[in-house]
Each structure stands twice: as C-alpha cells, then as structure tokens.
Amino acid sequence: MKVIFAEDQFWKPGPDDGFQSHSIDKLRETEISDWPGTVTVLVHGYSFDPRVTGPDNPFENQYPVWKRALGKRAYVDFGWYSVPRSFSSVRSAWRSGHWTTYGWAWRLAEQAGQALARILSAYDGEVNIVAHSLGSRVVNCALAHLPAGRIARVMFWNGADYVRNAERAAVQSPPTRFLNVYCPDDTVLERLGDVFAPASGRCIGNDGLSDRAPQNWIDIDLDAPVYADWAEQLETITRGDNPCEVGDHWESFRYPGNWPLCRAFLNDQPPFAVSPVIQSQSAFLSDDQVFNGFLVNLLKREGGFVHHRPADDPGGATIQGVSTRLLSSLRLDPRWSDLPVDVRDLTEGQITKIYRRVFFDPMQLSVISAACQTSGAGLLLPEFLFDVAVMSGIRNSGVLLQEAISESARVPLKVDGVIGPRTVTAFSEILRNGNYETCLRSMVTRRLKWLENLPNFKANPGWVLRTRSFIPASDETIKT
C-alpha cells in the first residue's frame, strides 16, 4: 500500500502508473479498510519527491532496502514531499518564506505528521512505525495527534527530530515502545539539525535520551561496545558509522549487520522481549516524567520571547512563559539569587527549576497525577492545573480545583486555593466515584467564564483555544 502526502493532498498510484489526487475521506473509504490486521508504516526523511521517478523517489530508493532489512510483514509506504535539493526546490523554498530547502521540509514534516495521524485514527489494527532522519519529525507530530498507545512500536533510524520533542512523544504515550537507533558521528544530521532547522538543540540521531528516557524508550548507539552483547545474542555485528564514507547518514539501514536487531524489536523478540510485569510498570510515569511531559507541552504553548503592551499583558516581557514580574519577585528571595535581571538571560535549567519549584511542586501535582494514573483516569486534569497555575497563579488554579470538587462531589470544601491533604482526599473521592471527567468539565467551564471577565480578554484570543484544548475527549460541547 502506497500513500503520498504532498502539500495537503494525498496521492496514490493511478491506472497510468502516475499518481492521482484523493481527499482524505476518499482515501479512508477505499484504502484503509483493506489493510491487514497489523501494518508497519515506513516514513522517509529529507530530500524526496514521491511523485517522480529516479533517486528522489523513496519507493524506488529507500523503501526496497528497508523491506529487505525488516523482513516479511505488511507495509504501508508513507511518502511525503520533503523538498529535493535542486535549484527549482530552492526557489520554491524561498517563495514559501524559507531560506533553505531543509527549513521548508521541516515545516512540511509537521503537516505530514498531522495527515498521517488522520489516516491512522481511522484504522483499528496494530501499527508499527519505522522512520529515518526527518521522518522522525513526521512521526512525533503524528503521535501528538493520536491517543496514547495507538501506535504499538516506533523505531527511529538516525532521527532528525530534537531530543525534547522525542521525549515528549514517549512520555505522552507510555504503552508505545520506542527504539532509537543513533550514531554520535553522524555529521550530516548534526549539521542539518543544528544549523539549518528552524530551532536548535541536539537530535535523537546523534544523542539518546540517556537518563531522561522513560521506561518505554530504548537507545542504541550502534558503535558503542556496550551493545555488543545484544548483537551477539542475534549472532551479528552492528555498525553505525561507515569508515569508508565521510558524513554517512544511512548506514543504520544499509548495513545488513544491523538488520537482525531491528527485526527483533519489531517482532518483540530478545533482547527486546518485555515481560507483562515490566509492561504494566512502564505505563506508570514517575514524578519527573510527568513534570517533563507537562513542561514540554507548556513551553510549546508559551513560545519564545514575547513583550506585549502593559494593557494587554501586565506581567511584562516573558520568555517561555516566565514573566518579568515573576522573575523580579523571585530575585527578592535569597534562594533565587542566581537569577538574572532580564528574562532573556534565563538559562534552560533555570526555567525548568522555576516551573518545578514555583508551580508543579506547590500544587501537589505529583500526588494528584499519581492518583489519576492509579485510577486510570489520565493526566489531562493535573496538566490543566499546571497550565492554569502558570497563566494565572497557583492560588487561582487551586481555587478552580476546589470549586469543581465541591460542585462535582456535592461535598463542602474550604475554597482557599491551597492544595493540602483535605483537597487531595476529596479529589481521590472524585476518582473513586467515577466523577473525573465531570470535575474536569466543570473546571474548564469555570476557567472560560473567568477569562471572559478579564479586561484584556479580547486582546488574547489564544486563551480560549488553550483552555478548550483540555476539554475531555468525550465532551466537545463546552462553549465560551
């Protein structure tokens, strides 16, 4: 099965061996229903045009090699236009507002990820995904639009997405198992990822998540001696870097010695076979994993440096959501004496520390999140509390929860904004009685009404969309 995404259109082979355009709904009706019970989706990286013939076509170039590497199984070849390196592509990239073809391909990868998610959301069978290079960006964007656990396994070959994005994807989908095959000496990826991409940071194809990795994530540096024992179990020798080729970026799937390891992962065989006990444990996130997941989502909503006029944002200039007003108040405390005067001088570590100690910990979100996970209720409500605390302060967030608990449980609860033992106990009762979504629905409704009464509400239309993103999936009826 071949599916091609190119600038908001899906393409599939036509009767003349060309490609015909079809809408998403048409594709859903005629193609997805014919897929077998388990499929492995292949997602290529940068510099391809699936509608042409020759080396720029992944169906002719990469995918045949991948299928030899991964063995006999049902495949869905997902092709997407990722801007071949040619003069016409450079000109098209400029016209699209990007100074490099790679920067344009990065943005197209995000669109392709949303399209892939829409396709997979209409399929009921088990899905594995294998992605190379910038295809990892496509996959992580798709995962952001799919329910947790919708994808069984994800394998990245020399992934070009950033470590922080991959960590977010793994934390948000504990049932999904990830294998990250990387090579620190991949200079091609390092140049593209750190120089030409729209953002900055280390890529998973050069680095693993290391000590930040959740239990459902496995890193493999193909050149590291520590993984020799794994390869020995499969009677093979792995290799990440080709000593005869400078700047090699494709050895992970070209070298046959790596193939048994990749097949073992997709087949859930040793050394990747996981016992049911470990699988159940991996679905329960630690405090750090919960916080990191919340923080990654929050920073995406907050963006970078913002400075509105005082009437629209009395907090002053902000960087990744940390306002000048908050920074000034923290600097009065000797424990925060190392903080800079200007928010633009804050380091990533300082921003993380602020969000953990000022918002996450005082809101007792580790306790609330643990209770939600134990009951199987999910983490949408505690993440909403975190988001409200950052936007409007921890007292307002605490009041929101306490009022919703009082309404949902019909039990008097002192509304003072302080999340203490009584509030936690009352919330646990909400979970036991199956009123989780009722409580969350009440919180969202109250939050929207509170925002409407602010004098600068109309100047900040994003507040409504941000709040509505926390509506329970089973209820889309909440309006402003």
Side-chain angles (χ1 to χ4, degrees):
M1 169 63 190
K2 293 181 180 179
V3 178
I4 297 182
F5 172 79
E7 301 180 66
D8 299 324
Q9 290 291 325
F10 289 93
W11 304 74
K12 66 176 185 178
D16 57 351
D17 293 330
F19 286 97
Q20 296 179 331
S21 174
H22 294 266
S23 68
I24 296 174
D25 292 334
K26 185 67 176 178
L27 176 73
R28 184 174 298 160
E29 293 171 1
T30 61
E31 301 291 348
I32 297 178
S33 60
D34 296 331
W35 290 3
T38 300
V39 296
T40 298
V41 180
L42 307 180
V43 186
H44 64 79
Y46 169 55
S47 189
F48 286 101
D49 185 350
R51 299 165 296 178
V52 302
T53 59
D56 287 340
N57 187 320
F59 303 125
E60 300 175 12
N61 184 344
Q62 283 195 338
Y63 289 161
V65 179
W66 292 20
K67 292 175 183 178
R68 290 197 299 272
L70 301 177
K72 186 177 181 180
R73 60 188 74 244
Y75 293 100
V76 173
D77 303 351
F78 183 78
W80 60 288
Y81 181 71
S82 54
V83 197
R85 289 163 287 183
S86 64
F87 177 75
S88 61
S89 296
V90 172
R91 183 175 55 191
S92 298
W94 290 346
R95 289 176 177 174
S96 300
H98 300 277
W99 70 281
T100 67
T101 56
Y102 189 78
W104 188 24
W106 178 275
R107 295 306 180 195
L108 291 175
E110 297 173 350
Q111 298 175 23
Q114 296 178 33
L116 179 59
R118 293 181 67 180
I119 295 174
L120 296 180
S121 64
Y123 175 60
D124 294 330
E126 181 176 290
V127 178
N128 300 319
I129 300 181
V130 177
H132 176 254
S133 192
L134 196 56
S136 62
R137 180 65 182 154
V138 175
V139 174
N140 285 331
C141 289
L143 289 170
H145 295 276
L146 290 169
R150 178 64 195 89
I151 308 302
R153 300 171 189 82
V154 174
M155 184 170 69
F156 293 128
W157 275 328
N158 298 80
D161 203 1
Y162 295 122
V163 168
R164 58 179 178 271
N165 296 334
E167 180 185 12
R168 175 197 174 200
V171 167
Q172 287 191 328
S173 187
T176 302
R177 299 183 61 200
F178 293 82
L179 177 65
N180 179 43
V181 178
Y182 72 100
C183 177
D185 295 328
D186 187 343
T187 55
V188 172
L189 176 61
E190 188 169 8
R191 294 291 178 85
L192 291 175
D194 290 354
V195 178
F196 295 111
S200 62
R202 295 292 291 173
C203 293
I204 56 174
N206 288 123
D207 291 295
L209 299 190
S210 61
D211 57 346
R212 298 171 58 179
Q215 294 184 12
N216 60 333
W217 180 281
I218 299 174
D219 286 313
I220 291 186
D221 175 358
L222 289 173
D223 288 327
V226 69
Y227 296 109
D229 292 341
W230 290 24
E232 186 176 349
Q233 292 183 45
L234 300 168
E235 299 180 350
T236 188
I237 298 176
T238 57
R239 188 173 77 187
D241 183 55
N242 187 345
C244 300
E245 184 173 346
V246 178
D248 182 54
H249 181 54
W250 305 270
E251 190 73 359
S252 57
F253 63 81
R254 285 180 178 171
Y255 176 59
N258 298 333
W259 297 356
L261 204 63
C262 299
R263 292 174 182 170
F265 173 71
L266 294 178
N267 295 334
D268 198 22
Q269 296 173 339
F272 302 107
V274 180
S275 69
V277 174
I278 295 178
Q279 286 181 333
S280 64
Q281 290 176 346
S282 66
F284 194 92
L285 302 180
S286 67
D287 294 348
D288 289 341
Q289 290 168 349
V290 170
F291 169 72
N292 289 336
F294 289 0
L295 181 60
V296 169
N297 292 342
L298 176 80
L299 295 181
K300 183 177 180 180
R301 292 189 290 267
E302 290 288 355
F305 179 74
V306 179
H307 194 183
H308 297 300
R309 61 176 185 166
D312 295 335
D313 187 357
T318 66
I319 186 74
Q320 294 186 322
V322 178
S323 67
T324 298
R325 180 169 59 187
L326 173 61
L327 180 61
S328 299
S329 65
L330 289 176
R331 281 175 47 80
L332 297 176
D333 189 331
R335 292 173 297 179
W336 295 92
S337 60
D338 60 330
L339 295 179
V341 176
D342 194 322
V343 292
R344 287 171 292 189
D345 296 327
L346 284 167
T347 65
E348 183 175 337
Q350 289 171 330
I351 292 174
T352 300
K353 180 180 177 181
I354 289 172
Y355 278 124
R356 183 65 185 254
R357 296 190 179 181
V358 177
F359 299 105
F360 186 87
D361 289 342
M363 290 294 299
Q364 300 295 315
L365 290 179
S366 60
V367 178
I368 294 174
S369 297
C372 289
Q373 291 188 88
T374 301
S375 69
L379 297 176
L380 198 60
L381 187 148
E383 184 172 5
F384 184 43
L385 286 172
F386 182 63
D387 190 76
V388 174
V390 172
M391 288 184 66
S392 305
I394 60 174
R395 183 185 182 279
N396 284 322
S397 183
V399 166
L400 187 67
L401 175 64
Q402 291 168 339
E403 289 179 343
I405 290 175
S406 299
E407 179 184 42
S408 302
R410 307 294 182 184
V411 175
L413 183 66
K414 183 179 180 181
V415 179
D416 57 5
V418 179
I419 307 298
R422 292 183 180 179
T423 302
V424 172
T425 300
F427 179 69
S428 298
E429 189 67 23
I430 289 284
L431 294 173
R432 281 193 293 270
N433 294 334
N435 292 325
Y436 173 83
E437 289 198 357
T438 302
C439 183
L440 177 55
R441 192 178 302 115
S442 174
M443 290 171 60
V444 173
T445 301
R446 291 172 180 274
R447 176 65 175 170
L448 289 170
K449 291 180 179 178
W450 188 84
L451 290 172
E452 285 181 338
N453 293 324
L454 295 179
N456 51 345
F457 171 72
K458 292 184 178 180
N460 295 276
W463 289 349
V464 172
L465 294 176
R466 180 167 174 170
T467 300
R468 285 180 56 81
S469 68
F470 291 94
I471 295 175
S474 61
D475 188 348
E476 291 289 337
T477 62
I478 299 177
K479 306 294 182 182
T480 60

